[in-house]
Amino acid sequence: MDHRTLDTPAPTIFDRLGRPLRSLRLSVTDRCNLRCKYCMPEDDYAWLPRDTILTFEEMAELTAIFTELGVDKVRLTGGEPLLRRDLPRFVRQLSENRRITEIALTSNGVLMADQAADLSFAGLNRVTISLDTLRADRFRTLTKRDLHHQVFDGIKAVVQAGFPSLKFDTVIIKGYNDDELIDLIEYGKTVGGEVRFIEYMDVGGATDWSMNQVLSRAEMLEHIGRHYGEVTPIVENSVAPAERFRLPDGTSFGIIPSTTTPFCRSCDRSRLTADGMWYLCLYAKDGLDLRAPLRQGRSRDEIKSLITAAWEGRADRGAEERKALEALGLREQRLIEINRLREDPHLEMHARGG
């Protein structure tokens, strides 16, 4: 990837809370090959219509418009992004955009064994694998699929491809995998990957969520500290969602505490769905349709104006608002009902990239 300095730097636009537009999570498909209980617990879903799905060229064009407004990091998501045919070709397209400093991908790893080398060659910089358990029986219970071995084949391929950064995202659920914190950290050491533990979140699709299933950041740190000894926070200038920590032997790990300790005030991320709906917050109920103006032939400047106006008016604090419902005893009552999710698939996390 060519990281030479551009003659005209992109402007920085800020929302009403002073948050810059920097990171774009780009969902390339709403389809997934697993049915994880915290995201897609049902067997059947209403999918986005095929004719609405953006082509790679349309995605590259919208991404280019975002980068002209300050976005410099792009993360490819889904659903499961590796289900999108010929994904390395799209990564190659993105790598030609000199304003992008980092292209990352989040995957469940099931299809990674056959694609890791091609993705690396195409210009992908970072890989995050969702890894919620090391046990095949638990994986089967969580995902309704018997594909655990393929995940580890995928991880092996990522390591062999030589990606400079490998992370694991682990959603921790009490009574399911909360006894695997240490085992997952130790596994990460064997493959050179950093584990990031994610508090179970009450987002669209998490229809089985309850607060008593959430293992908090404080509980995780207490458990890890009992095993390893002193856990030291890593102080860094970053707006990444994970708080990072170091163990006495130098091993690092992260915690994403969105449920108990929201980080809305520093969030610079937005989400573009596979059919071109732009969401300014993970919890947002409504998005901005960018597919229509793009296919209508509107100019880059016109679409940039739409994006700028929306971002400058942004005051979203979705996780903080969800947290505030606890004091009213309403957090569990305000989950999105399954019938509403079926009416509007955009409310599902597998549509907007989680």
Side-chain angles (χ1 to χ4, degrees):
M1 186 181 300
D2 187 348
H3 292 306
R4 293 172 296 172
T5 302
L6 292 165
D7 294 334
T8 306
T12 300
I13 61 175
F14 297 90
D15 69 8
R16 289 164 57 188
L17 298 181
R19 298 169 293 189
L21 177 62
R22 286 283 187 230
S23 301
L24 180 68
R25 296 181 68 96
L26 176 55
S27 175
V28 296
T29 180
D30 62 325
R31 306 298 176 109
C32 191
N33 45 8
L34 301 181
R35 291 295 179 270
C36 298
K37 67 171 291 184
Y38 57 79
C39 179
M40 300 179 70
E42 306 300 319
D43 292 322
D44 298 312
Y45 285 88
W47 306 109
L48 301 176
R50 291 282 187 179
D51 61 346
T52 68
I53 301 299
L54 300 176
T55 66
F56 284 153
E57 288 69 29
E58 289 173 325
M59 288 184 177
E61 174 65 12
L62 285 176
T63 302
I65 293 171
F66 275 102
T67 62
E68 290 180 4
L69 292 171
V71 165
D72 60 359
K73 294 179 175 61
V74 177
R75 177 171 291 275
L76 304 180
T77 67
E80 169 48 47
L82 298 187
L83 286 172
R84 182 75 186 251
R85 185 176 301 175
D86 204 15
L87 189 63
R89 178 171 70 84
F90 181 49
V91 171
R92 194 172 303 111
Q93 286 179 274
L94 293 180
S95 71
E96 295 171 356
N97 184 331
R98 292 167 52 200
R99 296 188 188 275
I100 300 175
T101 61
E102 179 181 281
I103 306 172
L105 177 136
T106 297
S107 168
N108 61 33
V110 170
L111 300 175
M112 184 61 78
D114 293 332
Q115 300 193 46
D118 289 342
L119 289 166
S120 177
F121 184 75
L124 186 69
N125 306 120
R126 293 177 49 193
V127 173
T128 298
I129 301 291
S130 297
L131 183 66
D132 297 311
T133 179
L134 299 174
R135 292 175 44 173
D137 58 331
R138 287 183 175 176
F139 182 88
R140 190 180 306 111
T141 299
L142 177 78
T143 68
K144 301 180 182 179
R145 302 290 187 271
D146 191 17
L147 299 170
H148 199 234
H149 64 289
Q150 291 184 218
V151 176
F152 289 96
D153 290 344
I155 293 169
K156 181 179 179 181
V158 169
V159 173
Q160 291 177 339
F163 285 96
S165 177
L166 169 62
K167 289 186 169 62
F168 299 109
D169 277 354
T170 302
V171 176
I172 296 294
I173 304 174
K174 278 186 179 179
Y176 167 68
N177 62 349
D178 53 328
D179 59 347
E180 293 191 65
L181 294 168
I182 306 306
D183 292 341
L184 285 158
I185 289 175
E186 291 299 315
Y187 173 74
K189 291 181 184 182
T190 68
V191 294
E194 181 175 292
V195 183
R196 302 189 301 183
F197 300 113
I198 304 173
E199 292 180 346
Y200 188 15
M201 297 172 63
D202 50 337
V203 290
T207 51
D208 296 331
W209 183 92
S210 66
M211 194 67 202
N212 61 18
Q213 293 178 290
V214 176
L215 190 73
S216 70
R217 166 188 176 277
E219 291 172 307
M220 293 184 203
L221 289 174
E222 194 274 334
H223 181 82
I224 293 169
R226 275 204 320 268
H227 181 85
Y228 289 107
E230 184 178 6
V231 177
T232 307
I234 298 175
V235 179
E236 51 192 350
N237 183 21
S238 172
V239 295
E243 299 177 11
R244 299 178 68 233
F245 303 88
R246 198 175 306 281
L247 301 177
D249 68 355
T251 300
S252 59
F253 68 94
I255 296 177
I256 300 178
S258 305
T259 302
T260 65
T261 315
F263 49 87
C264 299
R265 303 290 172 146
S266 62
C267 179
D268 65 351
R269 285 166 292 287
S270 64
R271 292 163 170 80
L272 186 66
T273 66
D275 65 344
M277 292 293 294
W278 185 43
Y279 288 88
L280 309 187
C281 177
L282 180 63
Y283 289 89
K285 298 295 191 298
D286 300 301
L288 177 65
D289 182 4
L290 297 180
R291 180 186 73 251
L294 180 69
R295 291 186 174 176
Q296 291 165 3
R298 303 276 286 276
S299 69
R300 276 195 179 186
D301 284 343
E302 288 176 303
I303 297 176
K304 283 165 65 174
S305 294
L306 294 173
I307 294 171
T308 299
W311 188 263
E312 290 181 342
R314 176 192 188 225
D316 299 76
R317 295 179 296 107
E320 289 182 1
E321 291 168 358
R322 293 295 306 166
K323 175 70 175 173
L325 291 174
E326 288 178 22
L328 303 174
L330 297 174
R331 187 159 190 165
E332 293 183 28
Q333 297 177 33
R334 295 287 179 86
L335 295 175
I336 303 174
E337 295 181 356
I338 190 167
N339 289 337
R340 179 78 179 94
L341 292 170
R342 286 173 175 161
E343 290 171 1
D344 185 1
H346 288 104
L347 295 173
E348 298 274 11
M349 290 305 102
H350 64 266
R352 63 175 65 182

